[in-house]
Amino acid sequence: METLADPRAAARWCAREREQGRRIGFVPTMGAIHEGHLELVRRSVRDTDVTCVSIFVNPLQFDNPEDLARYPRDLDADLALLERAGCHMAFTGTLEQFFPGIGDPGAVPREDAGPGAAGLEGRQRPGHFAGVATIVRRLFELVRPDCAYFGEKDFQQTLVVRHVAAGLGYPEIVVCPTVRDSAGLAWSSRNVRLSAAERRCALAIPRALTAAREAWRRGERDAGRLSGIMHEVLDGSGLEVEYAEVRDPEHWQAEVSTGRLRRAQGLVAARAGETRLIDSMRLDR
Ligand code: AMP
């Protein structure tokens, strides 16, 4: 596996691969690599000729400076895991390297994140999705991938990256199912911060999503009642719930969904102690 600490060197590496006629798969990450990331890498390795991964804790998408400072980082461990999963090239960079000549994160011109950024995460974390869209566009321009792989766990983010890709005309966006540990908790870089007690509380999140999926399978279609089922599971779990909603994933809107749904995506954000967790599950499949 090639390891590059300069985004321009990564762009040159990708250009050479493209000239050889190879299809490029790309997995953008913020590092602290876990099974969720590795599944995206394995899928890319299966689908394309060469797979590259970026590791960059993007300051533009953090609305909370403490969260940014405490974000877990372990580059050597990350590179070893990526190599074992079959990654061909991993690269890192600094904000200055990604946006030359702009020293201050606040001065980087933000991309439009599109309609998928409205509501839920977009409401809880102002500016977050514009920061995501800005770095994702830059990464896509550097790598020029054929396919880029994202996790369903960050469902609203998949709407934002589809918007960026539609603007550029590439790459194909492939959304992969949320990978969970044996207890059902979605893998997340932030899980390492959970105490044993907080982890137990956090398990209410997949329980709530599963309860809504079971209700869907029994024939419940009302958005409000499906969301209510999730709240019932989450209430009294010890988590501080930011939102728990069921929406039509193909008709995104800023407001809370009401009425009968034809498709259903469960979305939850909650805090276990100081750690903010999000999760998402398709309920109608
Ligand atoms: P992050 O490093 O958290 O920015 O995540 C990088 C990519 O990995 C994003 O597309 C995430 O949605 C995806 N990802 C993170 N956790 C999981 C998971 N548990 N299952 C599937 N994909 C995930």
Side-chain angles (χ1 to χ4, degrees), residues 28-30 34 36-37 40 71 150-151 153-154 157 177-179 186-187:
T29 80
M30 297 204 296
H34 52 64
H37 300 121
L40 305 185
Y71 201 83
F150 293 85
K153 178 174 88 67
D154 301 277
Q157 174 169 274
T178 305
V179 181
W187 284 94

Side-chain angles (χ1 to χ4, degrees), residues 238-261:
L239 298 174
E240 191 190 316
V241 179
E242 289 189 6
Y243 59 78
E245 269 192 44
V246 177
R247 296 178 160 225
D248 184 333
E250 287 170 30
H251 287 111
W252 196 257
Q253 52 185 42
E255 317 78 55
V256 175
S257 294
T258 52
R260 194 176 165 79
L261 294 172

Side-chain angles (χ1 to χ4, degrees), residues 27 35-45 149-151 176:
V27 182
E35 264 309 303
H37 300 121
L38 294 173
E39 267 307 299
L40 305 185
V41 172
R42 292 184 196 113
R43 173 76 190 272
S44 171
V45 169
Y149 296 82
F150 293 85
C176 303

Side-chain angles (χ1 to χ4, degrees), residues 115-143:
L120 299 192
E121 283 296 284
R123 191 185 56 225
Q124 296 294 332
R125 305 183 68 188
H128 167 67
F129 283 129
V132 169
T134 303
I135 191 64
V136 164
R137 180 178 172 139
R138 189 78 195 104
L139 289 165
F140 285 172
E141 287 170 340
L142 289 163
V143 174

